[in-house]
Amino acid sequence: MEQMPAAIVDFAAALKLLGQSQSDVAEIVTKWDLICNTDTPRTVEIQLSNGVHKVDNLAKIRNDLIAGLSLNEPTCKTVKFSAYRVDGRISATDRTSNAWHDEGGNPYDPSRVGWESYAKFMRAEVSSVCMPTTNNINVRMHQLEPVIFVGWATDSGGTPITSFDFHIKSMPTGVANSLYSGKQYYTQVTFVNTNPNGDDVTLKLWYNDADANGYYTRVLPVYRNVTFLVWAAIGQDRVNIFEMKNDDEGAI
């Protein structure tokens, strides 16, 4: 007759293991309140069958985390941000941001889903080149790129556009959750004429679409640039435009 393995018939060993597990459970249950305590920081000793274990309770863990974070001057290697239409990152040496526009919301190149908005390094900041692909553009003041190249052909070729209508509107009420309504906000935009044929570019900047004469016309010679200051309150019917010059001219 073949003898059965001792592991199957050694009931004494099995009962010993069962007793040890029950004592371990009892020890953990007894010390559970001390482990979960959030008022008094302490290290709890737990006597288990395989030895003594030391466990920091929740109060001590919280205190250690706060002390290590240094809330006044936190130290971190990288911070990343993400949302539905944007994402970006901040590190010790650079900051980058990707921006996507809603369908039909990109007035400069509707065929593209998005672009790298900017990358700021310790010594320089670079942004994607903005070149309008249509002559009639509706844009909110906060959507204006800092620099806009005009008069150049589109990426797909064709005849360069030399006359533009920019319908500039104030920021919508939807941004009021991060800005104060009723206050005036401003931005700046610089147009650069990069026409390859040496032609002038005509800019018609609409500051009030409700007025048939609510626009300012500026003829920009080739290889020249012009900067405008644009300001308005959130939801304002019209925006204010001022051409940045070294004299008192240019107010609208």
Side-chain angles (χ1 to χ4, degrees), residues 108 129-132 145-153 160-162 164 166 189-196 199-203 205 218-228:
Y108 306 109
V129 174
C130 176
M131 300 172 63
E145 292 286 338
V147 178
I148 300 177
F149 285 61
V150 291
W152 191 257
I161 303 172
T162 57
F164 295 90
F166 280 88
V189 55
T190 298
F191 295 94
V192 182
N193 182 356
T194 57
N195 185 268
D199 297 329
D200 293 346
V201 170
T202 300
L203 301 172
L205 305 179
R218 179 65 153 85
V219 177
L220 185 61
V222 68
Y223 304 133
R224 298 295 179 88
N225 65 81
V226 60
T227 300
F228 293 96

Side-chain angles (χ1 to χ4, degrees), residues 10-231:
D10 192 352
F11 292 107
L15 291 174
K16 180 180 179 181
L17 292 174
L18 181 60
Q20 289 175 344
S21 65
Q22 288 180 337
S23 63
D24 289 347
V25 170
E27 176 70 3
I28 294 174
V29 170
T30 302
K31 302 292 181 62
W32 189 249
D33 286 342
L34 296 177
I35 297 173
C36 295
N37 184 276
T38 58
D39 297 323
T40 305
R42 64 181 298 173
T43 299
V44 181
E45 290 191 1
I46 304 177
Q47 180 69 51
L48 300 180
S49 57
N50 61 348
V52 177
H53 298 265
K54 295 183 179 181
V55 180
D56 293 339
N57 69 353
L58 294 181
K60 189 174 189 306
I61 293 174
R62 181 182 61 186
N63 286 3
D64 291 345
L65 285 175
I66 293 176
L69 285 175
S70 180
L71 298 181
N72 293 328
E73 296 181 359
T75 301
C76 60
K77 183 178 180 180
T78 302
V79 179
K80 295 182 179 180
F81 303 94
S82 63
Y84 176 59
R85 303 299 291 182
V86 297
D87 69 63
R89 64 183 294 274
I90 296 177
S91 72
T93 57
D94 65 274
R95 179 171 76 236
T96 60
S97 174
N98 255 342
W100 284 264
H101 293 261
D102 294 330
E103 183 178 357
N106 180 355
Y108 306 109
D109 190 352
S111 65
R112 298 181 65 182
V113 175
W115 66 79
E116 183 78 12
S117 290
Y118 75 90
K120 186 170 185 178
F121 303 91
M122 293 184 69
R123 295 178 176 84
E125 180 174 340
V126 296
S127 300
S128 57
V129 174
C130 176
M131 300 172 63
T133 59
T134 178
N135 65 341
N136 194 51
I137 297 166
N138 289 277
V139 61
R140 298 282 184 176
M141 56 178 284
H142 66 289
Q143 295 173 324
L144 288 167
E145 292 286 338
V147 178
I148 300 177
F149 285 61
V150 291
W152 191 257
T154 63
D155 292 340
S156 58
T159 304
I161 303 172
T162 57
S163 180
F164 295 90
D165 283 76
F166 280 88
H167 300 265
I168 304 175
K169 298 176 174 60
S170 63
M171 291 180 288
T173 56
V175 302
N177 59 340
S178 56
L179 298 174
Y180 294 101
S181 60
K183 292 185 176 293
Q184 296 284 323
Y185 293 92
Y186 78 92
T187 187
Q188 293 185 29
V189 55
T190 298
F191 295 94
V192 182
N193 182 356
T194 57
N195 185 268
N197 303 322
D199 297 329
D200 293 346
V201 170
T202 300
L203 301 172
K204 185 181 286 187
L205 305 179
W206 289 82
Y207 54 86
N208 186 4
D209 280 339
D211 183 357
N213 298 314
Y215 60 85
Y216 173 68
T217 301
R218 179 65 153 85
V219 177
L220 185 61
V222 68
Y223 304 133
R224 298 295 179 88
N225 65 81
V226 60
T227 300
F228 293 96
L229 182 68
V230 182
W231 75 92

